[in-house]
Structures are given as C-alpha cells and as structure tokens.
Amino acid sequence: DAKTTQPNSMESNEEEPVHLPCNHSTISGTDYIHWYRQLPSQGPEYVIHGLTSNVNNRMASLAIAEDRKSSTLILHRATLRDAAVYYCILSRETSGSRLTFGEGTQLTVNP
Amino acid sequence: KAGVTQTPRYLIKTRGQQVTLSCSPISGHRSVSWYQQTPGQGLQFLFEYFSETQRNKGNFPGRFSGRQFSNSRSEMNVSTLELGDSALYLCASSWGSEGRTEAFFGQGTRLTVV
C-alpha cells in the first residue's frame, strides 16, 4: 500500500477553519484518498473520500492537488466535537475494502 | 438505519482460552472487515470477508480466524489467547469490496486477557 505522511498533531480554535494536510507522493492512479477520524473511546468514523476532483460533503471538504501527491482535509468551522485523530488513507480500487491506518493527526480544538 | 453492531462490548478472558466476537453489518452491506487496535501498534487490519469469502488477510497468526454468514453477519475467533491479544477489536462494514467504498465502523469489543 502507498504510504501517507501526516503531522502528528495540530491545534485549532473553535469556529475557525482547519486545514489538515496529507502527503502521498507514491500514490498510484487507482488509489482513492480516504479520510477517517476517531474520537476518544469510539470506532473510526468515515469523513470523506475522493479520487481526482475536490469533494464536499456535510462534514468536510477534500482538496486534492493536481498531481495527486498531496491532499488537504478542510473542516470549515471547527467545533469541540471535531477534536479527534484524523487518518488519511490510500485505498487501491482492487485491494478490497482493506484500510491501512497510519498514526494520523491528533487535532486539538481550543474553546 | 441501524449502524454496525458489535457484541459483546467488553470481555475478560484468561490466557489459553478462546473467544468469539460478533459483528452485524449495516443492512445491505456485504463486506465486513476486522481490525485490532492497541496503543503500541495502532489500528491493524485482520481480515475482510465479502459474500462469505475471505478476500484479504492481514499479518496475524493463524490463531486469528473469522467467517461470514449468508446474512453478512461475521464472527472472529481467537484461540489460545495471549496477554498481547488484549485490544479493541473493531468491525467495519461496506456495501462493496472496492477501494472506492466507504467503511462504517462499530464501537468495538474491548478484550482483556488476564
């Protein structure tokens, strides 16, 4: 599986936008970029995913670089509930629904 | 729509025993994957089942096994438990088995081996 690199931790203030970066320089053409987050004492939660184009949903936006070697998860207005570990994962189209989790980014949201 | 249900939520077992964990996926989902989460190793993939067939397997010893039933419900079994098997075991369901499908996770089963 292609590897992703994320900062270990980030901090944000409540009601401000948050941009969580992810580098994936060895991404292949059939790799989907997925984001999941895990709140304390809970299972991971799906956030968003995309292939080439930017994606928006009710939770977040995913901005994908033109060369696909990096992406950014955007939380438009952080809330305290958004404090979690965020995982950026590449999932190959043919590799089933297997997800390879790295260490992720611990997001702290300050009131 | 009900989410992914894992039972039991908590379990305490003794070394050498075996354990069976259960996962009921979201209705209509045919893929079920299992993960182990420990503080030291993070989230690690165990195996994936799709339409009762194992599609993928992670790097775990043969003591870890699973199966999927015709109604997509899945069980995983760990035999001859070791202290290091203490972990949060998570189940995820997806409607398909391709990289583009999103996974929905249960709350997990917290296994403690003493």
Side-chain angles (χ1 to χ4, degrees):
Chain A
D1 293 332
K3 188 174 166 52
T4 62
T5 304
Q6 300 177 251
N8 287 335
S9 62
M10 290 186 65
E11 251 186 81
S12 173
N13 295 320
E14 206 175 2
E15 297 191 4
E16 290 184 358
V18 182
H19 290 233
L20 296 163
C22 181
N23 287 318
H24 28 77
S25 57
T26 59
I27 191 170
S28 82
T30 58
D31 285 340
Y32 284 80
I33 302 161
H34 288 251
W35 284 83
Y36 287 79
R37 70 181 185 181
Q38 187 172 25
L39 281 66
S41 304
Q42 293 191 25
E45 177 186 28
Y46 167 78
V47 178
I48 200 167
H49 77 285
L51 183 62
T52 56
S53 304
N54 295 344
V55 185
N56 301 296
N57 67 20
R58 62 174 180 81
M59 286 181 71
S61 295
L62 175 59
I64 301 172
E66 202 168 322
D67 63 5
R68 301 186 71 232
K69 292 184 186 301
S70 66
S71 61
T72 302
L73 178 70
I74 303 165
L75 307 179
H76 296 286
R77 287 185 67 200
T79 69
L80 297 178
R81 195 197 170 274
D82 292 323
V85 178
Y86 286 79
Y87 297 98
C88 169
I89 300 166
L90 300 183
S91 182
R92 192 149 295 174
E93 176 67 357
T94 55
S95 66
S97 49
R98 170 185 190 147
L99 298 170
T100 301
F101 287 82
E103 295 189 4
T105 296
Q106 173 69 63
L107 175 65
T108 301
V109 180
N110 300 314
Chain B
K1 202 174 193 183
V4 179
T5 304
Q6 291 189 245
T7 55
R9 289 291 311 278
Y10 302 92
L11 206 48
I12 300 176
K13 288 287 189 179
T14 305
R15 259 185 311 175
Q17 287 187 314
Q18 74 160 13
V19 67
T20 300
L21 312 181
S22 179
C23 173
S24 293
I26 291 171
S27 178
H29 285 193
R30 292 187 295 163
S31 171
V32 173
S33 298
W34 289 89
Y35 295 81
Q36 180 197 66
Q37 186 170 29
T38 60
Q41 299 296 320
L43 268 156
Q44 291 187 287
F45 172 80
L46 280 157
F47 28 66
E48 177 200 359
Y49 286 86
F50 181 79
S51 293
E52 301 179 67
T53 302
Q54 188 179 87
R55 293 285 298 268
N56 275 299
K57 190 175 191 308
N59 189 24
F60 279 82
R63 299 185 298 107
F64 292 81
S65 64
R67 59 178 176 168
Q68 187 180 32
F69 302 96
S70 58
N71 62 358
S72 293
R73 191 177 70 84
S74 177
E75 289 181 346
M76 70 161 280
N77 184 76
V78 187
S79 63
T80 321
L81 283 165
E82 301 177 0
L83 295 179
D85 297 333
S86 294
L88 180 67
Y89 290 88
L90 292 155
C91 164
S93 80
S94 308
W95 64 266
S97 182
E98 302 83 21
R100 65 176 180 269
T101 60
E102 59 265 40
F104 296 88
F105 285 79
Q107 296 280 61
T109 294
R110 172 75 62 185
L111 172 66
T112 302
V113 182
V114 298

